[in-house]
Amino acid sequence: MRLLLTGATGFLGESLVRRFLADGHQIVILKRRTSVLPSLIASNAAIVCHDVEDGLAAAFVVTKPDAVIHLATCYGRSGEDIMTVFETNTAFPLRLLQAARAAEVALFINTDTALEKLTNAYSLSKRQFAEWGQWLAQRNEFTFINVRLEHMFGPGDAASKFTAHVIGTLLENRLEINLTKGEQLRDFIYIDDVLSGYQTLLAHYAENTVNGYIECDLGSGEAITIKDFVELVHTLTNSRTKLNFGALPYRPGEVMLTQADTSYLKKLGWRVQTSLAEGIQKIIASEKIL
């Protein structure tokens, strides 16, 4: 298949590009002119890049993709105002979806968050676009798969992410790390299992084309407290860092449980292959190589 991806310069996007190329798919990257491309994309002549500034309609006319995989997002962590978050997470993908439908692209895979809708501006804007996708898919003959992604982790992820921050801090044996009480339950999923989830969705669609809206949770299906996660990392890294649980307050509106319902993917034959401990050990091994 010829796949058009947004957000290909991010951790998940670059990982998916690598995996899809290995599967024999043709890759089209939709990016900004100012985007800094990973070496994988910049050095691969087989990857077609199209700048957003040249128009969304033109991207589909020129590249003729079979499916769109939307990964680009704005978390609002760098001081972006709510209009920027809304534009990135709701308005832009809605324009992208309209352009895809005008070009008669039959499959749109959206990457959503597992957070509750009203948790913050990020989750609200992500859910709003998913609801537009659901509304449109129920009235038109195309498939909109909404992937509700849980807490993904893996080697090379951004240091600002919670999992990477904790593992990096404990590996460095910093004096201490301040944390909340850690009672929140989270579903952590290793990057390779995330990639196989997307592969499974594509393979199933190619074999059994269906129309309409599909909600798909993508996580391990198991939840662990933040405290247990940090203590597991502490043990696996043999760290001497002092864990100050309770030193930080919970954020306003803190979500106390996220856990994927993986029944849909399991029906398609997908299974988690990497345990939480194995995933952490792979990150530790990669850090030691560096």
Side-chain angles (χ1 to χ4, degrees):
M1 296 176 71
R2 182 182 288 265
L3 308 174
L4 185 149
L5 278 75
T6 69
T9 59
F11 173 58
L12 175 56
E14 184 179 0
S15 301
L16 275 174
V17 168
R18 193 183 307 276
R19 184 67 64 92
F20 288 153
L21 286 173
D23 288 344
H25 294 294
Q26 296 175 295
I27 303 299
V28 178
I29 303 301
L30 188 62
K31 67 175 186 66
R32 295 188 181 91
R33 287 200 183 104
T34 56
S35 296
V36 178
L37 297 177
S39 57
L40 165 69
I41 297 174
S43 62
N44 195 322
I47 297 175
V48 176
C49 293
H50 185 91
D51 293 336
V52 174
E53 293 84 353
D54 292 333
L56 293 179
F60 289 93
V61 170
V62 173
T63 64
K64 296 180 173 58
D66 300 303
V68 172
I69 299 177
H70 176 55
L71 305 164
T73 196
C74 175
Y75 295 102
R77 295 172 181 161
S78 301
E80 298 93 344
D81 60 30
I82 59 173
M83 288 308 299
T84 300
V85 174
F86 173 80
E87 170 60 32
T88 304
N89 296 339
T90 309
F92 167 72
L94 185 54
R95 291 195 295 271
L96 179 67
L97 179 55
Q98 286 182 305
R101 290 305 306 132
E104 298 184 345
V105 175
L107 175 63
F108 193 106
I109 299 179
N110 178 53
T111 306
D112 196 1
T113 176
L115 293 173
E116 291 296 325
K117 180 177 178 177
L118 297 180
T119 300
N120 51 35
Y122 161 71
S123 58
L124 175 59
S125 59
K126 294 292 285 185
R127 195 63 203 172
Q128 286 173 330
F129 172 61
E131 290 172 347
W132 275 107
Q134 181 176 12
W135 185 78
L136 288 167
Q138 290 173 345
R139 288 159 176 77
N140 298 274
E141 291 188 357
F142 76 102
T143 301
F144 187 103
I145 302 177
N146 192 54
V147 178
R148 289 169 48 85
L149 183 61
E150 288 285 349
H151 294 263
M152 174 185 62
F153 70 103
D157 201 358
S160 60
K161 296 283 187 67
F162 172 76
T163 50
H165 170 67
V166 169
I167 294 172
T169 298
L170 299 189
L171 273 174
E172 292 172 9
N173 281 309
R174 295 185 193 175
L175 184 62
E176 59 185 5
I177 180 172
N178 291 329
L179 302 150
T180 67
K181 290 181 181 179
E183 300 163 311
Q184 313 96 307
L185 287 155
R186 295 290 183 265
D187 184 332
F188 296 98
I189 180 167
Y190 190 66
I191 179 63
D192 286 355
D193 290 318
V194 174
L195 301 182
S196 68
Y198 281 87
Q199 286 176 296
T200 300
L201 291 172
L202 273 181
H204 175 75
Y205 176 80
E207 296 164 4
N208 304 285
T209 302
V210 294
N211 292 325
Y213 178 83
I214 298 171
E215 188 94 351
C216 174
D217 285 5
L218 182 48
S220 70
E222 299 180 359
I224 181 175
T225 65
I226 292 294
K227 183 176 182 181
D228 285 345
F229 170 81
V230 174
E231 289 179 338
L232 176 60
V233 175
H234 196 265
T235 299
L236 293 175
T237 56
N238 296 311
S239 181
R240 298 184 299 275
T241 300
K242 181 182 178 182
L243 307 178
N244 294 329
F245 290 109
L248 299 177
Y250 290 129
R251 296 172 296 184
E254 180 70 66
V255 176
M256 298 308 292
L257 170 64
T258 63
Q259 183 175 5
D261 175 359
T262 60
S263 56
Y264 179 76
L265 276 171
K266 284 182 176 178
K267 288 179 182 177
L268 307 183
W270 175 88
R271 295 290 186 276
V272 169
Q273 299 296 323
T274 306
S275 71
L276 179 58
E278 290 169 338
I280 294 170
Q281 288 169 327
K282 288 183 179 184
I283 296 175
I284 293 170
S286 71
E287 292 293 327
K288 287 181 178 179
I289 291 174
L290 296 174

